[in-house]
Amino acid sequence: MNTFAALGAGIAVLTSIGAAIGVGLSAGKGAESIARQPEKEKSIRSLAFLGMVLSEACAIYGLLIALLLFTKA
C-alpha cells in the first residue's frame, strides 16, 4: 500500500471531528432555542435536525474518500 494513500485516508477520516463539532453545536443551540421559545419547538427542531444531517453528510463523504483511497492503493 502506498504510504501517501494511507496518509490521505487518515486525513479524510478526520472530517468526522468537524462533523462531531457541527452536530454538537446544532443540538446544543437547538435545545437552547427551544428553551427560550417553546412555541416554536417544531420549526426549531426541524432546522436543528437539518444541520445535523448536513454535518453527518460531510463525515460520510470523508469516509467514502478514505475507502476509495484504500481500494485504489
Side-chain angles (χ1 to χ4, degrees):
M1 176 191 229
N2 189 357
T3 317
F4 291 115
L7 181 64
I11 291 171
V13 171
L14 288 178
T15 58
S16 61
I17 294 172
I21 292 171
V23 168
L25 286 175
S26 181
K29 294 295 181 177
E32 182 181 332
S33 298
I34 290 172
R36 289 178 188 243
Q37 294 182 338
E39 66 274 3
K40 298 278 187 180
E41 178 182 358
K42 188 172 184 176
S43 63
I44 293 171
R45 182 179 295 159
S46 64
L47 285 174
F49 282 144
L50 181 64
M52 290 180 204
V53 166
L54 291 174
S55 293
E56 285 298 322
C58 291
I60 292 170
Y61 291 144
L63 178 65
L64 177 69
I65 289 171
L67 291 174
L68 286 172
L69 284 172
F70 271 130
T71 57
K72 296 288 182 184

